[in-house]
Amino acid sequence: MAEEQHLSALERLIRYGSDDDVRRFYALLRPPELADLLERLNGEDRKRAFELMTAPLASDVLRVVEDPELEEILEDMPAERVAEIAHESMTDDAADMIGALDEEKRAETLEHLDGEDRREIEELLEYGEDTAGGLMQTELVHVREDCTVREAMEQVRAENEDEVGDIHIVYVVGADDRLLGTVSPADLITADPDVPLSSVQDRDPIVVPPTMDQEDLAELVREHDLAAVAVVDENRRLLGQVLIDDVVDVMEDEATEDIARMAGTDFEAVFDDSVRAAVRLRAPWLIPAFIGGLLVTFFLGSVESSLKEATILAVFLPVVLGMAGNIGTQTSAITVRNLALGRLDFKRVGRTILRQVFTGLAIGSMFGAALLLFVLVTRGDDVAVKKYAMTLALAIWTAMTVGATMGVTVPLLLNKLGFDPAIATSPFVQTANDVTGVGILIVIANALDLI
Amino acid sequence: MAEEQHLSALERLIRYGSDDDVRRFYALLRPPELADLLERLNGEDRKRAFELMTAPLASDVLRVVEDPELEEILEDMPAERVAEIAHESMTDDAADMIGALDEEKRAETLEHLDGEDRREIEELLEYGEDTAGGLMQTELVHVREDCTVREAMEQVRAENEDEVGDIHIVYVVGADDRLLGTVSPADLITADPDVPLSSVQDRDPIVVPPTMDQEDLAELVREHDLAAVAVVDENRRLLGQVLIDDVVDVMEDEATEDIARMAGTDFEAVFDDSVRAAVRLRAPWLIPAFIGGLLVTFFLGSVESSLKEATILAVFLPVVLGMAGNIGTQTSAITVRNLALGRLDFKRVGRTILRQVFTGLAIGSMFGAALLLFVLVTRGDDVAVKKYAMTLALAIWTAMTVGATMGVTVPLLLNKLGFDPAIATSPFVQTANDVTGVGILIVIANALDLI
């Protein structure tokens, strides 16, 4: 509610108020709250809103703006202004901003940055976007090992002049800049100031290479409750650090991506705002399902004349296909999520698959029995109906077992091959289920001489 | 790889080694790593493994073990031992442990705890499991406002004797215990030690009531990059704090729950390990879909005799239903995810719905045209086929539009009514799509005098 009032107040101030009025309004809100409002302004108002910000405020706001909007906002800004804001930002946020620009504007913006900023940002842009290197900031506080806790605190105080931002962890390094350990600011405060730093530091901190995938990194940070993690090169020299705040965003994005993929669309479609974008982002994902569906019509078409006699099979086909699809979706969602959480144990892949096959057999037999009963009760039990009922029961049982089996094997296989397993629950595989389901029904009906 | 070796080493040591061998092995691993191994031991070995731990180690391990396993492990432990471990744990972890026990054992365990521990844990158990109160720990470090930074650091050092664990944030309170502000340990270190504390503290920290839903809390922590958040009562008195580590776990669990629900199953099914449990957890979610499927057979059955003439409609029915289901799944996944991320703007619900309706109309018309063409090309273009082709094209267009519309309205409605919107993408709604799809096809075919 408050947000609605803030939004209309901001709109009014931008259109009719003085620049100072707008700036006074900014001072009332926290940057993330401001970002929420700005995302909802129209293009013109938003452009003006950013022009009225100081570079540090614009930096604080932009770091919480997410991708499709970030690109839009930066498009409206001159390269010089982007450079000014990037200069005020942590290197990881600056790299995200500059990485979101098109090639020409990116080069122009880098031109406007001073040598060190430029070099650091260019280095960060070299790393893959989804790696520890792509997430890390080069700003960090490090202290030398051979000192007391008191001296370490003094070093932290002196180093912080460089504006490191929130200090989650202090890194302890040797003379050759290699990482020897870590210590939290709270540990420094609570330790006796006169003991050697080496007696309070953690000598075996978790470190990661810059190439580590962000999903694995997130899992590590979550499991070990890390506030920040050091990124080091092969000689254990500190390259940068990834803060938990950034890992949290990764986790949300990875979950969003998995959810989108499972539903047969992609990450951007979750945030699409126009019908035009929705059509462009979503329609292509539906094409494999459509082609699969047409394939099913060929299968069914080949027995179309038999279907005239056996319309009951056509009537019950949707329930057979639906149930196979449903158990397949269940199984693949479970598999994909366990893969994402790092809970799937590859030494026991055989057991994991077998467990799902048996689950499919068990659940399939229950619904097979129910369908048998339903057909006999609603259609009478003469010899022909008995045969059809048996066919349908066998078909749903087999199709559900196959559905569960595909639901576990396809994501595992995709993962093994280096693809995103989440696409396995998409329309593509749902439709593969439809094709096999129809095939199974036809084969069984044939075997029983029904068609 | 290393994990496999560790696992077999631990198994060997537990079965054939001395107790000291096992304890020496424990010292080589971090608690979360140990937890990973323990989750994979069989019941007997695991029970023994916990018996050989000191209470503080068992506490560190148990706090990272997640729910289905936690219950199992605690079942094997005498109440006295659970109390001993709870005593070594932060109050939130202790409450989680004791909350996982059955009623009788819970009472027995609480008996074994001393008065203050018991009172605090009982209070935490009063709060809903999914609220800020249910997540918070009562341990925290607070300092009085009227002092210098140096004195504040001394207070922190003195207070930490109570073993608060990691100090993410120091809370500044007034004489009446009301929260006046917060300061991070790093801010204390980097400030001039002689300035008043009031000059460095954040005077307007974000606070939450104990009743706040954990999903909203997670969103707040993520958006504002908080390391910890204060939980206060209506008089702004500090009740406890929720650390970001715990919020991260909430985020993962909420995403897992949404993914499970969307796939038509529940949270526990993601972590089920036995076929028996899988059947029990998953089969019930398939029942609504099955009933919906049977409903479809009644609809189709009512026009069964007409289908003998119009088998082409039966042949193409799966593709119509499949595409309506697919666009419905896309839409509801997008809606559910935006709801979870707090991105859905209720003032503009009308616009959100309209956007999806138009998306359905647009995408539906594309696949309608494609289907029209496909039928005409594969089936020849005599008058009867033209009519069928038109019927099918109209049916897929309408069904996809209805699918997209239900995909957005049903989750919004469920959310408004206080239900979990994620169940809207489950087999239940997929099947609702099937029912309307068949209905649409029959109505259109009827209107065109085809059946």
Side-chain angles (χ1 to χ4, degrees):
Chain A
M1 310 302 102
E3 197 179 321
E4 293 308 315
Q5 287 166 16
H6 283 150
L7 183 65
S8 48
L10 179 58
E11 271 169 353
R12 266 196 317 272
L13 286 175
I14 287 176
R15 290 180 197 167
Y16 315 113
S18 75
D19 294 358
D20 278 343
D21 288 341
V22 177
R23 292 200 187 99
R24 263 192 295 273
F25 179 83
Y26 287 165
L28 298 175
L29 295 173
R30 298 184 174 87
E33 290 160 357
L34 198 49
D36 274 351
L37 295 186
L38 291 166
E39 283 177 17
R40 293 171 51 193
L41 287 181
N42 73 38
E44 269 313 295
D45 288 346
R46 187 160 65 185
K47 191 175 160 193
R48 183 85 194 116
F50 272 100
E51 285 168 3
L52 292 172
M53 284 182 207
T54 60
L57 178 60
S59 159
D60 282 347
V61 169
L62 282 179
R63 63 181 296 275
V64 294
V65 174
E66 312 205 25
D67 218 4
E69 279 101 6
L70 181 64
E71 253 172 78
E72 265 177 57
I73 292 169
L74 293 174
E75 244 168 49
D76 283 344
M77 253 180 220
E80 196 172 347
R81 170 75 168 165
V82 179
E84 188 192 359
I85 296 171
H87 175 71
E88 292 294 334
S89 306
M90 293 290 123
T91 42
D92 56 335
D93 299 320
D96 285 349
M97 265 179 232
I98 290 172
L101 302 172
D102 62 50
E103 216 166 320
E104 195 182 338
K105 193 159 174 185
R106 186 186 303 187
E108 202 189 332
T109 305
L110 285 168
E111 286 292 308
H112 285 288
L113 284 168
D114 66 48
E116 200 188 323
D117 274 357
R118 181 163 64 224
R119 195 181 45 72
E120 283 184 345
I121 290 169
E122 280 174 342
E123 268 177 34
L124 289 183
L125 287 171
E126 295 286 307
Y127 295 111
E129 214 185 321
D130 296 342
T131 64
L135 286 173
M136 75 181 180
Q137 60 180 51
T138 54
E139 292 90 350
L140 50 78
V141 169
H142 52 77
V143 298
R144 285 308 173 78
E145 188 187 36
D146 42 9
C147 66
T148 63
V149 166
R150 188 193 312 276
E151 286 161 353
M153 284 202 271
E154 277 155 19
Q155 283 186 61
V156 171
R157 200 171 299 141
E159 257 213 84
N160 191 50
E161 318 266 285
D162 295 351
E163 291 170 18
V164 176
D166 291 345
I167 304 171
H168 291 58
I169 288 291
V170 173
Y171 298 92
V172 184
V173 296
D176 53 357
D177 263 354
R178 284 172 52 177
L179 181 69
L180 297 175
T182 57
V183 62
S184 76
D187 289 338
L188 290 177
I189 293 179
T190 53
D192 176 346
D194 296 314
V195 302
L197 177 60
S198 57
S199 70
V200 298
Q201 80 194 42
D202 174 1
R203 303 192 142 275
D204 184 25
I206 289 175
V207 299
V208 302
T211 50
M212 179 180 256
D213 180 79
Q214 64 175 7
E215 201 164 356
D216 298 332
L217 176 70
E219 185 50 28
L220 198 69
V221 167
R222 189 182 75 80
E223 193 169 84
H224 293 270
D225 289 343
L226 305 176
V229 58
V231 183
V232 298
D233 69 11
E234 57 276 20
N235 297 316
R236 224 182 151 84
R237 266 194 298 262
L238 258 179
L239 298 173
Q241 64 172 341
V242 179
L243 304 185
I244 188 168
D245 322 346
D246 296 313
V247 171
V248 163
D249 295 335
V250 166
M251 286 173 39
E252 290 275 353
D253 285 353
E254 292 281 344
T256 300
E257 187 174 272
D258 277 354
I259 287 171
R261 291 271 168 87
M262 285 185 196
T265 181
D266 68 355
F267 184 81
E268 263 99 45
V270 177
F271 305 109
D272 65 0
D273 243 8
S274 69
V275 172
R276 200 192 175 85
V279 171
R280 186 170 48 77
L281 291 167
R282 289 166 56 181
W285 289 78
L286 294 169
I287 293 174
F290 188 63
I291 294 173
L294 297 181
L295 209 62
V296 170
T297 70
F298 274 123
F299 270 47
L300 279 178
S302 72
V303 293
E304 193 169 336
S305 57
S306 315
L307 277 186
K308 282 190 202 303
E309 300 310 306
T311 44
I312 182 173
L313 294 182
V315 167
F316 279 89
L317 184 61
V319 66
V320 173
L321 298 186
M323 294 305 287
N326 285 327
I327 198 170
T329 303
Q330 276 188 343
T331 312
S332 51
I334 288 169
T335 308
V336 167
R337 189 60 185 157
N338 274 313
L339 280 169
L341 294 176
R343 289 179 60 106
L344 253 176
D345 178 3
F346 274 94
K347 289 274 157 164
R348 304 188 187 186
V349 152
R351 251 179 65 178
T352 303
I353 294 175
L354 265 185
R355 220 180 275 139
Q356 296 299 337
V357 174
F358 283 116
T359 303
L361 282 168
I363 298 183
S365 68
M366 289 161 54
F367 287 101
L371 190 61
L372 184 72
L373 217 68
F374 181 85
V375 175
L376 291 178
V377 167
T378 58
R379 302 282 174 145
D381 61 352
D382 67 54
V383 180
V385 170
K386 272 184 186 156
K387 272 191 169 184
Y388 285 125
M390 189 66 81
T391 303
L392 289 165
L394 270 175
I396 203 169
W397 187 37
T398 319
M400 287 183 81
T401 306
V402 171
T405 309
M406 298 216 310
V408 62
T409 47
V410 177
L412 285 174
L413 194 70
L414 285 173
N415 187 64
K416 196 87 190 164
L417 296 175
F419 294 103
D420 180 352
I423 57 170
T425 43
S426 76
F428 183 69
V429 170
Q430 274 259 25
T431 309
N433 260 346
D434 280 2
V435 177
T436 49
V438 168
I440 288 165
L441 185 65
I442 292 176
V443 167
I444 295 176
N446 240 319
L448 294 179
D449 279 333
L450 290 175
I451 55 174
Chain B
M1 312 302 103
E3 197 179 322
E4 293 308 314
Q5 286 166 17
H6 283 150
L7 182 66
S8 48
L10 179 58
E11 269 168 354
R12 265 197 316 273
L13 286 174
I14 286 176
R15 291 182 197 165
Y16 315 115
S18 74
D19 295 357
D20 278 343
D21 288 340
V22 176
R23 293 199 186 100
R24 265 193 295 272
F25 179 84
Y26 286 165
L28 298 175
L29 295 174
R30 298 184 174 86
E33 291 160 355
L34 198 49
D36 274 351
L37 296 186
L38 292 167
E39 284 179 14
R40 292 170 52 194
L41 287 181
N42 72 39
E44 269 312 295
D45 289 347
R46 187 160 66 186
K47 190 177 161 194
R48 183 84 194 118
F50 272 100
E51 285 168 3
L52 292 172
M53 285 181 205
T54 60
L57 178 60
S59 159
D60 283 347
V61 169
L62 281 180
R63 63 182 294 274
V64 294
V65 173
E66 312 204 26
D67 217 5
E69 279 101 6
L70 181 64
E71 253 172 78
E72 264 177 59
I73 292 168
L74 293 174
E75 244 169 50
D76 283 345
M77 254 180 219
E80 196 171 348
R81 170 75 169 167
V82 178
E84 189 193 359
I85 297 172
H87 175 71
E88 292 295 333
S89 306
M90 294 290 123
T91 41
D92 57 335
D93 299 320
D96 285 348
M97 265 178 234
I98 290 172
L101 301 173
D102 61 50
E103 215 166 320
E104 195 183 339
K105 196 162 173 182
R106 185 186 303 185
E108 202 190 332
T109 305
L110 286 169
E111 285 292 308
H112 285 288
L113 285 168
D114 66 48
E116 200 186 324
D117 276 356
R118 182 164 63 222
R119 196 180 43 74
E120 284 183 344
I121 291 170
E122 280 174 342
E123 269 177 35
L124 289 182
L125 287 172
E126 296 286 307
Y127 296 113
E129 216 186 319
D130 296 343
T131 64
L135 285 173
M136 75 181 179
Q137 60 179 52
T138 53
E139 292 90 350
L140 48 78
V141 169
H142 53 75
V143 298
R144 285 304 174 80
E145 189 187 37
D146 43 8
C147 66
T148 64
V149 166
R150 187 193 311 278
E151 286 161 351
M153 284 202 271
E154 276 155 21
Q155 282 186 62
V156 171
R157 200 169 300 140
E159 256 213 85
N160 192 49
E161 317 267 286
D162 295 350
E163 292 171 15
V164 176
D166 292 346
I167 305 171
H168 292 58
I169 288 290
V170 173
Y171 299 92
V172 184
V173 295
D176 52 357
D177 264 351
R178 285 173 52 176
L179 182 69
L180 297 175
T182 58
V183 62
S184 76
D187 289 339
L188 290 177
I189 294 179
T190 54
D192 177 345
D194 296 315
V195 302
L197 177 60
S198 57
S199 70
V200 298
Q201 80 192 45
D202 173 2
R203 303 192 143 278
D204 185 25
I206 290 175
V207 297
V208 301
T211 49
M212 179 179 256
D213 181 78
Q214 64 174 8
E215 201 163 357
D216 299 332
L217 176 69
E219 185 50 28
L220 196 71
V221 167
R222 189 183 75 81
E223 192 168 85
H224 294 270
D225 289 343
L226 306 176
V229 58
V231 182
V232 299
D233 69 11
E234 58 276 19
N235 297 316
R236 223 181 152 84
R237 264 193 300 261
L238 259 179
L239 298 172
Q241 63 172 341
V242 179
L243 303 185
I244 188 168
D245 322 347
D246 296 314
V247 171
V248 163
D249 294 335
V250 166
M251 286 172 39
E252 290 274 353
D253 285 353
E254 292 282 346
T256 300
E257 186 173 272
D258 278 354
I259 287 171
R261 291 270 167 88
M262 285 184 196
T265 179
D266 69 353
F267 184 80
E268 263 99 44
V270 177
F271 304 109
D272 66 359
D273 243 8
S274 69
V275 172
R276 200 192 174 86
V279 171
R280 186 170 48 79
L281 291 167
R282 288 166 57 182
W285 289 79
L286 294 169
I287 293 174
F290 188 64
I291 293 172
L294 297 182
L295 209 61
V296 170
T297 68
F298 274 125
F299 271 47
L300 280 177
S302 71
V303 293
E304 194 169 335
S305 55
S306 316
L307 279 186
K308 282 189 203 301
E309 301 310 307
T311 46
I312 182 173
L313 295 182
V315 166
F316 280 88
L317 184 61
V319 68
V320 173
L321 299 186
M323 294 306 286
N326 286 327
I327 199 170
T329 303
Q330 276 188 344
T331 312
S332 52
I334 288 170
T335 309
V336 167
R337 190 60 186 157
N338 273 315
L339 280 169
L341 293 177
R343 289 179 60 107
L344 254 177
D345 178 3
F346 274 93
K347 288 274 158 165
R348 305 189 186 185
V349 153
R351 251 179 65 179
T352 303
I353 294 175
L354 264 186
R355 220 181 275 138
Q356 296 301 337
V357 174
F358 282 117
T359 303
L361 282 168
I363 298 182
S365 68
M366 291 162 55
F367 287 100
L371 190 61
L372 183 71
L373 216 70
F374 180 84
V375 175
L376 291 177
V377 167
T378 58
R379 301 282 175 145
D381 60 353
D382 66 54
V383 181
V385 170
K386 271 184 186 155
K387 272 192 167 180
Y388 285 124
M390 190 65 82
T391 304
L392 288 165
L394 272 173
I396 202 170
W397 187 37
T398 319
M400 286 183 82
T401 305
V402 172
T405 309
M406 298 217 308
V408 63
T409 46
V410 177
L412 284 175
L413 193 71
L414 285 174
N415 186 66
K416 195 88 190 166
L417 297 175
F419 293 102
D420 179 354
I423 57 171
T425 46
S426 75
F428 183 70
V429 170
Q430 275 260 25
T431 309
N433 260 346
D434 281 2
V435 177
T436 48
V438 168
I440 289 164
L441 185 66
I442 292 176
V443 167
I444 295 175
N446 239 321
L448 294 179
D449 277 335
L450 290 174
I451 56 174

